[in-house]
Amino acid sequence: MGDHKEQQPVRVGAAVRRRRRALELTLAVVAERSGLSVPFLSQVENDRARPSTSSLEKVADALRTTAVELLAAADPACSVDVVRGEIVDADFTPRVRSLVRGHHQLHASEFTGDHDAGREFQHRNDELLYVADGAVEIEAEGRAYRLGRGDTLYLTGGVRHRWRATVPDTRVIVVAVAEHIEAVHDRPR
């Protein structure tokens, strides 16, 4: 068993959809430009159909990019990726490490020690802070929260916040929905 990322077929649909939406194009416009049908393009975007090389090139041309760029932005169909823990010196030097590699729907980072407590954050999408060790003080929307080991704080997208470690050996895990994911808001009923 290895620690490497297993190579799997890619899902190009999300990359096609992101590019089309970034250009503010409808499926009908892409279909007209590419000579492909709207139903086929919809199936591609939803990963129900895998386009041939020729079809992918037509889609890329319609989206003013290249097939190589679309493939580079594609998501793996299935992946397993192990990120091993790091041996930490006892000097408690502030540091951050990513717990997820690559372009995914979630980002996760581990913060050890303190960091710039004056820095304010405001993320587009939801975020969860988990205190693995130590303690933190978090200011969110004008209120202060004190969290200790095992506590979590959930923030919806758009909430301004800042935090600081209140003990030297603090470790905070931050998990957030990636910025490239469009947030879905519940509509009032």
Side-chain angles (χ1 to χ4, degrees):
M1 299 185 70
D3 292 344
H4 65 284
K5 189 173 237 180
E6 300 294 330
Q7 295 299 315
Q8 298 288 334
V10 294
R11 297 181 308 176
V12 73
V16 170
R17 183 182 308 107
R18 282 191 297 268
R19 177 68 180 175
R20 178 179 62 79
R21 287 181 176 171
L23 295 173
E24 298 180 354
L25 300 175
T26 64
L27 280 173
V29 169
V30 177
E32 182 180 320
R33 288 181 180 181
S34 66
L36 301 169
S37 71
V38 170
F40 174 71
L41 291 171
S42 176
Q43 289 178 344
V44 168
E45 283 193 1
N46 291 298
D47 290 314
R48 292 191 192 108
R50 289 183 62 191
S52 66
T53 302
S54 173
S55 293
L56 186 58
E57 288 173 356
K58 290 176 182 178
V59 170
D61 287 345
L63 296 174
R64 295 185 176 99
T65 189
T66 65
V68 171
E69 288 294 323
L70 288 175
L71 288 170
D75 299 326
C78 298
S79 68
V80 175
D81 192 19
V82 175
V83 177
R84 295 285 181 200
E86 298 175 357
I87 296 176
V88 180
D89 294 330
D91 67 356
F92 302 112
T93 303
R95 56 188 190 83
V96 61
R97 75 178 178 109
S98 180
L99 302 175
V100 178
R101 289 184 280 235
H103 186 73
H104 297 286
Q105 294 181 7
L106 290 177
H107 288 284
S109 299
E110 176 186 52
F111 293 85
T112 304
D114 209 351
H115 73 287
D116 182 3
R119 182 174 175 201
E120 186 175 70
F121 300 93
Q122 182 179 23
H123 301 286
R124 175 179 168 190
N125 291 323
D126 295 2
E127 178 177 356
L128 176 98
L129 285 84
Y130 169 74
V131 181
D133 285 309
V136 297
E137 187 172 87
I138 301 169
E139 182 186 319
E141 295 295 315
R143 290 190 59 197
Y145 302 89
R146 292 184 181 185
L147 280 68
R149 183 175 185 219
D151 292 342
T152 62
L153 179 81
Y154 186 88
L155 302 162
T156 58
V159 172
R160 293 180 186 275
H161 61 285
R162 70 182 84 216
W163 64 273
R164 68 180 186 90
T166 56
V167 295
D169 59 343
T170 296
R171 281 189 318 124
V172 175
I173 308 297
V174 178
V175 179
V177 176
E179 292 293 319
H180 71 274
I181 302 297
E182 190 168 327
V184 177
H185 300 284
D186 292 333
R187 295 184 180 156
R189 295 180 184 173

